[in-house]
Amino acid sequence: MLKEYSKKYFHFFKEKNIKEISEMFSDNIQLTDWTISCSGKNEVIKFYEKIFNDIDSIEIKIANIYSIEFVVIAQLEIFIDDNDPIDVVDIIKFNESNEITNIKAYKC
């Protein structure tokens, strides 16, 4: 089930759909990637809005996705505008309510 929630999250991210992404987040979500670390739904959403405003298009291809208890690990290929793809591994943690509580993104 969490794999499907994660796939929804990636779909909403690709669509730059802040409203749907926000509804998937817990209030105390933490995000860490290779450029930033931020905490709290408002701060994470602000970061996403900046990303979405700075790019025209984003495409996400899921190479592999694994689920263990409340954690999903996804190996992704991300295409931003006309740039070369970025290989990324996301580790997404969920709570008992299936809300995303933590995202760690590693650029490979």
Side-chain angles (χ1 to χ4, degrees):
M1 175 167 28
L2 293 182
K3 282 185 191 180
E4 294 309 313
Y5 282 126
S6 297
K7 288 177 183 178
K8 278 185 180 181
Y9 163 75
F10 295 133
H11 172 77
F12 294 143
F13 193 92
K14 177 184 87 122
E15 297 294 319
K16 302 195 277 185
N17 188 331
I18 289 290
K19 180 184 179 302
E20 294 293 339
I21 290 172
S22 177
E23 290 177 9
M24 297 186 80
F25 288 166
S26 73
D27 289 338
N28 61 345
I29 184 168
Q30 295 182 321
L31 169 72
T32 305
D33 73 4
W34 54 95
T35 62
I36 193 168
S37 180
C38 52
S39 298
K41 188 186 270 191
N42 290 336
E43 290 302 311
V44 174
I45 292 301
K46 282 182 193 175
F47 176 65
Y48 278 32
E49 287 173 336
K50 181 181 177 345
I51 291 172
F52 295 161
N53 288 332
D54 289 347
I55 62 174
D56 292 321
S57 67
I58 187 165
E59 209 44 58
I60 299 173
K61 291 186 181 178
I62 301 171
N64 292 296
I65 190 164
Y66 308 95
S67 178
I68 305 164
E69 294 182 12
F70 291 104
V71 178
V72 171
I73 301 167
Q75 181 184 3
L76 310 168
E77 205 174 15
I78 300 176
F79 300 82
I80 298 173
D81 295 332
D82 292 325
N83 297 313
D84 290 334
I86 303 168
D87 291 323
V88 175
V89 172
D90 275 3
I91 300 173
I92 304 170
K93 293 183 182 177
F94 292 84
N95 63 19
E96 299 81 21
S97 301
N98 296 326
E99 297 173 322
I100 297 173
T101 61
N102 191 296
I103 301 171
K104 290 190 179 182
Y106 298 93
K107 189 176 178 182
C108 302

